[in-house]
Amino acid sequence: MQPKQRILNAPVYQPGKPIDAVKKEFGLTEVIKLASNENPFGCSPKAKEAIRAALDSLAIYPDGGAMQLREAMAEFLGVNEDQLIFGNGSDEILQMISRAYLDETSSTVMADLTFSEYRINAIIDGAEIIEVPLKEGVHDLPAMAAAIKENTKVVWVCNPNNPSGTIVSEQQLLAFLEQVPRDVLVVLDEAYYEYVVAEEYPQTIPLLAKYPNIIILRTFSKIYGLAALRVGYGIASSELINQLEHVRMPFNVNSLGQLAALASLQDQDFVSECRKRNREGLKQLTDRFDEWGFAYYPSQTNFVLVNFRQDSTELFQKLLRQGIILRSGAALGYPGYQRITVGNAEQNERVLKALEELVVHTSK
């Protein structure tokens, strides 16, 4: 039996190396993972309480409409309940969008170095992929608008961008949206929204009234610390959400995830504290990079992409042997770079100490 030929051309997503695998491979007892942009401070205690309280209900299917979470999210965001769709992580909503709108007759526009799932889904659904180079690590929105063709159905804007951590400003986004035809869907992937502190970052929910061709994607996997439970959501016009509901799998968001997300939403103090500590950790890292003379992209996320000017894979392997898992830039289209998730103060210091030994001292 053979599958559709085009799916064999789609690369298999490669997640960060698991901690247990690194321990086993190198005989280590202590490993830190700063590769997958997870929250080093965990999740809200309220989320843990909600999970514990639900452990006797695991035999029951989830609420297929996520009604409690939907009601709370709608109130929190100031939108109608029918403007929300939930997914098994925002990754699943990316898949829904691709399945709903892309096929062999259509094209899709994206940055060349951005979240890989946009490209993977487009390959699977047979669409023509139009990639536009980033400009100094930032989406080149004028060039992306110019790349739109008559058969373009979807444009992807990762803001902040992964893996560069950069943002497009509200002014840049508004100018872009005015150029995009209203029959082209613009996906604003805001997975790192809660980490952003830049004043020029666009607040996109108010734009929905004027631009019904946009959908905003966010997640509970990042700052909320619920990556293991996979809860993402999309915000758009009720008409667009209804279209996507036709390709959403039943019971796609598990019960524990829904309850933990609901509890997490009610603990914004935790979110604020994580944002504050993340900026402190980011500064801890970048101050040292400045001192050493290594360039990095200005990040509005919980990770930083740094140019160590040496073979990414080789440095990645050296760090693994010391029990440190980063993300090799070679896998992200940035040879010579490493993408480093911001950890807690102790984790950051351990990474810096290893880098000083492996990169700074050896380059002198």
Side-chain angles (χ1 to χ4, degrees), residues 77-352:
L77 298 171
V79 299
N80 296 326
E81 292 180 23
D82 61 2
Q83 289 184 263
L84 295 168
I85 191 165
F86 295 91
N88 184 37
S90 54
D91 288 350
E92 189 193 18
I93 305 176
L94 299 177
Q95 186 182 62
M96 293 181 207
I97 292 167
S98 185
R99 178 172 292 179
Y101 298 107
L102 298 180
D103 60 21
E104 297 89 341
T105 68
S106 61
S107 66
T108 182
V109 176
M110 63 192 71
D112 62 340
L113 297 175
T114 190
F115 187 45
S116 60
E117 284 298 296
Y118 312 148
R119 191 175 197 279
I120 291 171
N121 281 314
I123 291 172
I124 291 170
D125 287 306
E128 175 191 359
I129 298 167
I130 303 170
E131 294 182 309
V132 178
L134 295 175
K135 199 171 183 179
E136 297 180 355
V138 180
H139 281 67
D140 187 347
L141 294 184
M144 291 179 71
I148 294 172
K149 304 186 345 183
E150 286 188 6
N151 71 340
T152 299
K153 297 295 185 182
V154 182
V155 179
W156 310 86
V157 180
C158 190
N159 195 33
N161 186 47
N162 180 12
S164 62
T166 58
I167 62 169
V168 295
S169 69
E170 182 167 0
Q171 182 178 4
Q172 291 168 327
L173 180 62
L174 290 174
F176 172 71
L177 291 175
E178 283 298 308
Q179 293 180 282
V180 176
R182 292 298 189 266
D183 61 349
V184 175
L185 175 61
V186 178
V187 181
L188 302 176
D189 188 348
E190 298 181 349
Y192 300 91
Y193 168 83
E194 293 86 0
Y195 282 112
V196 178
V197 297
E199 292 183 1
E200 67 269 24
Y201 185 69
Q203 296 304 311
T204 48
I205 290 177
L207 302 179
L208 291 169
K210 184 176 181 181
Y211 303 100
N213 60 321
I214 66 175
I215 182 169
I216 303 156
L217 304 186
R218 294 180 186 169
T219 182
F220 283 90
S221 294
K222 301 304 179 185
I223 207 166
Y224 286 101
L226 299 178
L229 296 178
R230 315 303 298 123
V231 184
Y233 59 99
I235 318 156
S237 69
S238 57
E239 180 182 2
L240 201 158
I241 293 297
N242 181 61
Q243 292 170 1
L244 292 178
E245 285 287 353
H246 288 277
V247 295
R248 181 178 66 82
M249 294 295 290
F251 310 117
N252 62 324
V253 182
N254 71 84
S255 297
L256 298 184
Q258 291 184 39
L259 292 169
L262 177 61
S264 297
L265 195 65
Q266 297 163 354
D267 192 358
Q268 290 302 308
D269 288 343
F270 175 81
V271 173
S272 297
E273 180 64 18
C274 288
R275 179 166 49 244
K276 173 177 172 290
R277 294 176 72 180
N278 177 72
R279 294 310 294 184
E280 293 169 351
L282 184 61
K283 187 175 187 300
Q284 180 185 4
L285 293 170
T286 57
D287 280 354
R288 202 73 63 86
F289 300 150
D290 289 338
E291 178 187 329
W292 293 337
F294 292 118
Y296 55 88
Y297 287 100
S299 177
Q300 287 292 322
T301 65
N302 67 333
F303 61 85
V304 58
L305 186 64
V306 194
N307 186 1
F308 291 115
R309 302 192 298 270
Q310 61 175 259
D311 186 276
S312 298
T313 304
E314 184 179 342
L315 178 56
F316 172 79
Q317 291 293 334
K318 288 178 180 178
L319 288 162
L320 275 188
R321 294 187 187 96
Q322 295 195 21
I324 298 171
I325 311 173
L326 302 186
R327 188 72 154 148
S328 168
L332 304 170
Y334 284 92
Y337 287 73
Q338 298 287 325
R339 192 189 67 189
I340 306 173
T341 302
V342 179
N344 61 39
E346 294 75 22
Q347 291 171 329
N348 295 336
E349 193 56 44
R350 182 175 167 188
V351 169
L352 289 169

